[in-house]
Amino acid sequence: MPELPEVETLRRGLERGARGRRITDVVIANPKSLKGQNEDVFRERIVGRTIQSVTRRGKYLLIPLTTPLLADTPSAFLCIHLKMRGQLLLEDAAAPVGKYHCLSLALEGGRALRFHDMWTWGEIRALTAEELAAIEGLAAMGAEPLDPDWGGGSLAEMLAARRTPIKPTLLDQRVVAGVGNIYADESLFRAGIHPERAAGTLARSEVDRLAEAIRTVLREAVEGGGTTSEDYVDTEGVPGRYTPRVYDRGGKPCPACGTLLTRIRLGGRGTVFCTQCQS
DNA sequence: ATAGCGCCCTGGTGGC
DNA sequence: TGCCACCAGGGCGCTA
């Protein structure tokens, strides 16, 4: 599942392979990925435009597109969310498409940006600045945990008086941007905090530890090119090299103390932790 | 207001 | 061996 480190890895891949390129053609193989946007509007806002840069906000990729006449002001933004199974690949435009191919943008230079999505939960739309600003999930999104000034202070503010368990609280994108199931479990393990603790009852020292753990885990995962637990690959088709310590390892020994890791359901999500190391 | 659920979807798995 | 019910999960929208 693409979370912050995976989306950031894709962003970097697109910066290298797609920035500055003009989009020459669009193939919509599965309109479901447009999530209701009119196909002609989508096409119209993309074909002939140039990828100005590739930015990320939480788990969203935002790609400003420009026209030759207005080279500094984006005329539209590609807004992409991969949800659970979405993939973005830079492939030779002549290469055969995969089984779950939903959409292709042909790029100047012979390659194509392709969107594959087994579950078609992912979204790719071409939006104006106004439409983008109206997306609630983006407008209300919390701070970027890898920003230099984010830390225990910012997190403590968000957790104050919350009675929800800390694990589902970390998954709330309004609390902190980009953390999903993998890195919530990993961060809580690294910070030694039990996932069922009510968020508002964490001592300030624990919140500091947790914020530091989130930053460390995310930084290490970005360095490793993300985690491949299911079918995540980067834009060149390369899997992530980050290895989670507890995520998806229920019943296996804790890497710190050897106790068998416990798996529970919390807020509807599978949660793995160590009863010895996390309290 | 907020928490909890169903929904979207399909490959993999466990049971019979 | 084959079939089928069931599970996983991000984020949104609905309900209580």
Side-chain angles (χ1 to χ4, degrees), chain A residues 31-103:
Chain A
K32 278 185 187 173
S33 302
L34 302 185
K35 290 292 173 281
Q37 178 166 44
N38 180 284
E39 291 183 43
D40 293 332
V41 171
F42 181 80
R43 231 182 239 107
E44 204 171 90
R45 289 178 175 179
I46 288 175
V47 176
R49 311 291 165 90
T50 298
I51 293 176
Q52 186 185 48
S53 61
V54 185
T55 67
R56 181 189 57 75
R57 181 77 175 96
K59 302 176 193 172
Y60 281 89
L61 277 172
L62 303 172
I63 304 177
L65 305 174
T66 57
T67 64
L69 283 176
L70 274 169
D72 294 330
T73 311
S75 54
F77 296 80
L78 268 176
C79 176
I80 303 172
H81 197 301
L82 300 168
K83 298 288 178 80
M84 284 301 293
R85 298 300 191 115
Q87 295 180 324
L88 281 177
L89 295 159
L90 285 169
E91 297 178 316
D92 190 306
V97 296
K99 186 176 174 188
Y100 304 109
H101 172 244
C102 293
L103 198 137

Side-chain angles (χ1 to χ4, degrees), chain A residues 91-174:
Chain A
E91 297 178 316
D92 190 306
V97 296
K99 186 176 174 188
Y100 304 109
H101 172 244
C102 293
L103 198 137
S104 279
L105 309 183
L107 304 177
E108 211 170 27
R111 290 179 103 190
L113 173 55
R114 287 183 173 160
F115 183 56
H116 288 225
D117 193 353
M118 188 197 290
W119 290 356
T120 61
W121 286 14
E123 308 180 10
I124 178 162
R125 286 173 293 173
L127 305 177
T128 63
E130 292 73 29
E131 288 165 346
L132 199 62
I135 293 181
E136 186 60 31
L138 272 170
M141 190 169 291
E144 288 289 332
L146 293 182
D147 271 1
D149 48 2
W150 188 85
S154 346
L155 185 58
E157 245 173 69
M158 300 304 295
L159 301 187
R162 277 195 185 241
R163 281 173 300 206
T164 316
I166 184 63
K167 158 74 187 277
T169 303
L170 290 178
L171 299 180
D172 185 339
Q173 299 299 296
R174 294 168 300 183

Side-chain angles (χ1 to χ4, degrees), chain A residues 200-246:
Chain A
T201 66
L202 265 61
R204 180 53 201 269
S205 60
E206 293 177 310
V207 178
D208 286 342
R209 229 162 61 213
L210 179 54
E212 212 36 61
I214 290 170
R215 285 163 72 88
T216 305
V217 164
L218 291 177
R219 247 191 249 116
E220 288 180 3
V222 170
E223 277 167 28
T227 303
T228 295
S229 73
E230 302 289 343
D231 50 11
Y232 166 78
V233 287
D234 70 13
T235 51
E236 305 302 322
V238 179
R241 296 169 307 282
Y242 185 79
T243 310
R245 312 272 191 272
V246 294

